[in-house]
Amino acid sequence: MNEPIPVSRAVDGGTAKLMPDLDRPHAWLLTVDGAPQSYVDLDDPAHLEFEYARRIAHVLDAAADPGGPLDVLHLGGGALMLPRYLAATRPGSHQVVIEADRGLLELVAEHLPLPSGAGITVRRQDARTALETAPEGSADVIVADVFGGSRVPAHLTSVEYARAAARVLRPGGWYVANLADGAPFAFLRSQLATYRTAFAHLALIAEPSVLRGRRFGNAVLVASQSEPPVAVLARRTAADAFPARVEYGAALERFMGGAAPVRDADATPSPEPPDGAFSVG
């Protein structure tokens, strides 16, 4: 049998590469300009290689009774890592994936096609536009994993954007976002203050080394109008290969400090990661 070979193609956002994992016969790593975007195992879509993706998956696992279907809006598609996970673990879920990069969508559809009946609809659209035009109260969960290169675009970091997300969620729904920052956490703290304007409850999941400012890294934001299952999330994230901590309540308020919310007029992208923070190959 022929060994899988890497695929490289120019897409809207740069140079996308699909690289096979030699340890898993039908698993692929997607990068754009060297930054990891998705890891997909076509034989085992419930396998999540990225730590931040497993933390988001813990939130998805806790969002409803085990195996029950969810209506989920994904902002940012990549290789459809988390939509595939949810289709495998919660059959019957209805998922809409928004991805602005046409070239990336075509690459993934060609080389990593979705199985029939997955319940996943993929649309080429700007994430903010999709959110503002989505029906009110139409989603159980919104998953935001949108990066232009290695940075969250500015128009997805504001009070206006956060309020649009809150409008689309059903009562009890959750907004979950992959963010990235390092000390002194000006961006991450401002994001917490921003989402506080639209949601009653916030939690943050990250490795202790990131939260202590020892390195730049991912942090998963959870926002909702009802109290999240902090104890469940803390237990699951602590048991991961790279354990994480859940900040909530007074501890999160201390971390936030006196940060101010960001409005559209003042919004900026997330910070540029240091060299080598996420790049591979």
Side-chain angles (χ1 to χ4, degrees):
M1 186 173 69
N2 293 332
E3 292 290 334
I5 60 174
V7 177
S8 180
R9 184 179 298 176
V11 298
D12 301 354
T15 300
K17 292 183 180 180
L18 281 172
M19 294 180 284
D21 184 341
L22 299 181
D23 294 326
R24 301 177 73 94
H26 297 102
W28 297 82
L29 172 68
L30 169 68
T31 67
V32 177
D33 287 346
Q37 299 290 325
S38 296
Y39 177 100
V40 169
D41 187 334
L42 298 178
D43 291 337
D44 182 11
H47 174 78
L48 297 173
E49 190 75 12
F50 295 170
E51 294 299 327
Y52 88 84
R54 283 203 286 272
R55 290 164 194 151
I56 294 176
H58 291 319
V59 178
L60 294 172
D61 291 346
D65 292 337
L70 291 171
D71 290 334
V72 181
L73 175 62
H74 297 266
L75 304 177
L80 311 179
M81 172 176 58
L82 286 164
R84 295 175 201 263
Y85 172 86
L86 200 66
T89 58
R90 293 185 177 276
S93 292
H94 176 255
Q95 302 185 76
V96 175
V97 180
I98 304 299
E99 172 59 59
D101 192 320
R102 182 190 300 277
L104 188 58
L105 287 175
E106 292 172 350
L107 175 68
V108 171
E110 179 181 345
H111 291 278
L112 305 175
L114 288 168
S116 60
I120 301 171
T121 301
V122 182
R123 295 206 315 256
R124 179 180 179 265
Q125 194 175 13
D126 172 74
R128 174 78 174 260
T129 302
L131 193 63
E132 291 179 339
T133 56
E136 181 174 353
S138 58
D140 297 309
V141 182
I142 297 171
V143 177
D145 189 10
V146 186
F147 282 80
S150 297
R151 307 177 74 183
V152 179
H155 69 303
L156 307 183
T157 67
S158 67
V159 168
E160 292 86 347
Y161 167 81
R163 290 176 178 168
R167 181 191 65 82
V168 173
L169 287 171
R170 292 177 179 141
W174 295 1
Y175 176 88
V176 191
N178 177 32
L179 305 174
D181 200 5
F185 301 113
F187 173 74
L188 194 52
R189 287 174 168 143
S190 73
Q191 286 300 280
L192 291 167
T194 296
Y195 283 91
R196 174 55 53 82
T197 67
F199 293 93
H201 295 267
L202 303 177
L204 194 66
I205 308 172
E207 289 183 37
S209 61
V210 172
L211 292 171
R212 292 179 186 136
R214 293 178 182 169
R215 67 178 184 85
F216 191 99
N218 295 99
V220 171
L221 169 70
V222 182
S224 61
Q225 307 299 5
S226 55
E227 184 175 349
V230 175
V232 172
L233 295 176
R235 184 170 64 251
R236 293 185 178 184
T237 56
D240 283 338
F242 293 89
R245 198 167 73 211
V246 180
E247 297 287 5
Y248 178 74
L252 192 59
E253 293 291 337
R254 287 194 296 272
F255 179 85
M256 195 185 316
V262 175
R263 303 196 70 89
D264 276 340
D266 305 310
T268 59
S270 63
E272 189 77 42
D275 288 344
F278 297 128
S279 296
V280 298

